[in-house]
Amino acid sequence: MHAITYDSPKSLAQALSLLATAGEKARVLAGGTDLIIQMRAGVRKPEQIVDLKAIAELQMIAFSPQDGLRLGAAVCCARITEDAVIKQHYPGLVEGAALIGSDQIQSRCSVGGNVCNGSPAADTTPALIALGAQCVISSARGTRTVPVEQMVTAPGRTVLQPDEILVEFRIAAPQGHSSDCYQRFIPRNEMDIAVVGVGAAVTVEGGKFTAVRIGLGAVAATPLLAKAAGDSLVGKSVSAESIAAAAVLAQQIATPITDMRGTAEYRKHLVGVLTRRVVTEAAARAKAK
Amino acid sequence: MSGKVQVEMALNGEATEFLCEPRQSLLEVLRDVLGFTGSKEGCLTGDCGACSVVLDGRLVCSCLVLGPEAQGKAVETVEGMAKGNTLHPLQQKFLEHAALQCGICTPGFLVAAKVLLEKNPNPTEHEVRYALAGNLCRCTGYDKIVRAVLDAATVMQGR
Ligand code: FES
Ligand code: FES
């Protein structure tokens, strides 16, 4: 690996001022499970590493029925899968987080890193899209909020400017009979990258959908919000027919590529299968509440 | 740019200080700076688990941790498992079950299995296989490793 300098600021203000000075030369480090590999391979060559793990805001897990979940961007996935409150309110997010790598990787990898690495196949991003997560981004210039589906602009690229840090995700508290689900397809049991991943978050009242959001992964250059598919279910009764029709709409926005993990046709097919499965499961979970 | 930094950590319970370049991994520090060569280098991409160590109670790939990230942390390696001449039950069972051939993967498996049994003292075979999925072995075919871990769990619970 090339020579680097390393800083571990203890406060967000310190980190932001480091980035304001360093600009493009710096890159922030959370778990390092993507970045360190990329630096070793010479894919990314930052001169200055700013480790965010000692900053309290980035390690926060806070839930309240009014404000919902505040999830620090650097919280490792092991903490998420161990968290009973997150499991209860956002099981789909836990499903996405639990699928990333081995126990060794889980100890380090973060949801913030998963989004900022910008992979179209990131497992937590479709779950976050389904939940309508908002990304709180700070720089020395101020703070802005970006819907998670707008974070990734191309493979490996995000809306973040060189002086900005993704600090936390905000996810609304589930209202009434609401729940979510994430599933991915891989050709083996675990330790693989999604061929397709789909997340859904639904609210059900009196047998009818009142809100549905569906997120798709690994079927386009960036993770996608399948807006028309989700909207089509609102007001419809929870049935195999309505869900199947929504799955067709989800398939229509998928523009997958053919690669070693699967052909474009196969991926389109899987979008339909997984959309039906996750919406059905999320609805069952919502009704059980 | 490549100035060395001073890092203090607890290594297998002992206060340890070292100098490293920030680009050096914890694995490199352990092996090349501190002479703790138990942890092995397999892939350097977080895939094989041969470099597994415990960092503040969590199992990590030391190839994916920068040396300076260990500042103020507690690191446990395979060298900390035996007490003097007494092997850890996992080590003893790996020997009895011949759960190793070339041995490159073994320290990683031992450390990962130790973390598993601390969290879950009585795992099923499925849970053992799942927990060790981040450790690759090209020699044994895994079966003997899984048996050794299950046997060690029995012994450690005094059953
Ligand atoms: S050397 Fe670290 S996981 Fe293979
Ligand atoms: S014993 Fe050789 S790799 Fe496991």
Side-chain angles (χ1 to χ4, degrees):
Chain A
M1 191 191 295
H2 63 282
I4 52 172
T5 62
Y6 170 90
D7 288 285
S8 179
K10 304 284 176 287
S11 75
L12 184 58
Q14 255 179 305
L16 294 176
S17 97
L18 281 170
L19 288 187
T21 313
E24 308 241 335
K25 285 188 291 189
R27 193 155 179 98
V28 298
L29 171 73
T33 53
D34 288 309
L35 180 59
I36 292 176
I37 297 168
Q38 291 161 357
M39 291 199 296
R40 213 168 257 146
V43 177
R44 294 196 200 267
K45 293 183 179 167
E47 294 169 23
Q48 184 176 352
I49 293 299
V50 180
D51 188 349
L52 304 178
K53 289 191 290 297
I55 302 171
E57 289 91 329
L58 279 103
Q59 294 288 6
M60 167 185 53
I61 298 178
F63 178 82
S64 80
Q66 296 78 39
D67 302 331
L69 180 67
R70 297 180 64 183
L71 177 65
V75 171
C76 74
C77 284
R79 280 181 63 202
I80 294 173
T81 59
E82 290 162 6
D83 193 289
V85 174
I86 302 183
K87 225 180 263 179
Q88 180 195 343
H89 295 294
Y90 312 101
L93 175 59
V94 173
E95 285 162 339
L99 283 168
I100 303 175
S102 58
D103 285 3
Q104 284 90 331
I105 299 300
Q106 290 275 310
S107 300
R108 302 297 277 174
C109 70
S110 63
V111 174
N114 201 214
V115 170
C116 293
N117 184 51
S119 164
D123 278 307
T124 52
T125 312
L128 290 170
I129 290 174
L131 289 168
Q134 299 288 321
C135 302
V136 180
I137 295 170
S138 287
S139 71
R141 296 171 288 129
T143 295
R144 62 181 175 132
T145 302
V146 174
V148 68
E149 61 269 23
Q150 291 171 19
M151 281 293 287
V152 182
T153 54
R157 293 186 179 276
T158 67
V159 297
L160 290 177
Q161 298 299 308
D163 65 340
E164 287 183 318
I165 295 174
L166 169 59
V167 178
E168 63 173 282
F169 298 97
R170 297 220 178 151
I171 305 175
Q175 302 299 322
H177 296 283
S178 298
S179 196
D180 68 329
C181 178
Y182 173 79
Q183 290 183 15
R184 71 174 179 190
F185 180 82
I186 57 172
R188 45 193 299 206
N189 288 331
E190 54 172 323
M191 303 299 132
D192 207 343
I193 294 170
V195 179
V196 173
V198 182
V202 309
T203 307
V204 176
E205 302 297 343
K208 287 196 161 84
F209 290 106
T210 57
V212 180
R213 282 175 64 96
I214 297 167
L216 309 179
V219 295
T222 66
L224 298 177
L225 168 66
K227 186 159 182 351
D231 289 350
S232 77
L233 284 167
V234 175
K236 301 256 168 64
S237 51
V238 178
S239 70
E241 292 71 35
S242 66
I243 294 171
V248 171
L249 292 175
Q251 281 176 306
Q252 283 170 6
I253 65 157
T255 53
I257 56 167
T258 293
D259 66 9
M260 63 175 181
R261 291 181 204 287
T263 61
E265 292 83 353
Y266 186 45
R267 284 194 157 103
K268 274 223 167 206
H269 170 73
L270 286 171
V271 170
V273 173
L274 289 178
T275 301
R276 291 196 296 272
R277 286 184 189 167
V278 294
V279 173
T280 305
E281 177 60 24
R285 289 175 185 175
K287 280 189 197 165
K289 276 205 175 171
Chain B
M1 283 306 285
S2 60
K4 292 196 175 180
V5 295
Q6 183 178 344
V7 181
E8 290 160 33
M9 65 182 185
L11 177 53
N12 298 323
E14 286 200 24
T16 306
E17 244 180 64
F18 62 85
L19 288 173
C20 74
E21 290 179 48
R23 58 163 196 88
Q24 287 183 291
S25 67
L26 177 59
L27 175 65
E28 210 177 318
V29 167
L30 288 169
R31 293 182 55 85
D32 300 345
V33 179
L34 298 171
F36 279 61
T37 54
S39 309
K40 303 297 185 225
E41 174 182 317
C43 63
L44 289 184
T45 50
D47 291 300
C48 77
C51 65
S52 298
V53 302
V54 182
L55 182 68
D56 270 3
R58 290 201 187 274
L59 183 68
V60 303
C61 295
S62 60
C63 73
L64 296 186
V65 176
L66 297 173
E69 290 185 79
Q71 170 60 41
K73 301 268 189 298
V75 175
E76 293 159 61
T77 67
V78 70
E79 285 91 345
M81 285 182 68
K83 294 293 163 241
N85 286 330
T86 311
L87 293 179
H88 187 281
L90 278 162
Q91 292 171 310
Q92 188 59 43
K93 290 300 171 191
F94 266 58
L95 284 176
E96 287 173 18
H97 286 264
L100 62 149
Q101 291 177 32
C102 79
I104 290 286
C105 69
T106 314
F109 270 104
L110 287 169
V111 171
K114 182 167 168 275
V115 171
L116 164 67
L117 295 185
E118 279 162 6
K119 274 194 295 195
N120 180 0
N122 189 19
T124 62
E125 176 179 339
H126 183 82
E127 287 167 339
V128 171
R129 289 185 184 272
Y130 201 88
L132 298 180
N135 294 80
L136 303 184
C137 175
R138 294 295 290 177
C139 301
T140 63
Y142 300 101
D143 213 56
K144 291 176 172 178
I145 294 174
V146 174
R147 280 166 212 273
V149 174
L150 288 168
D151 198 5
T154 308
V155 169
M156 287 167 70
Q157 289 196 101
R159 283 180 290 139

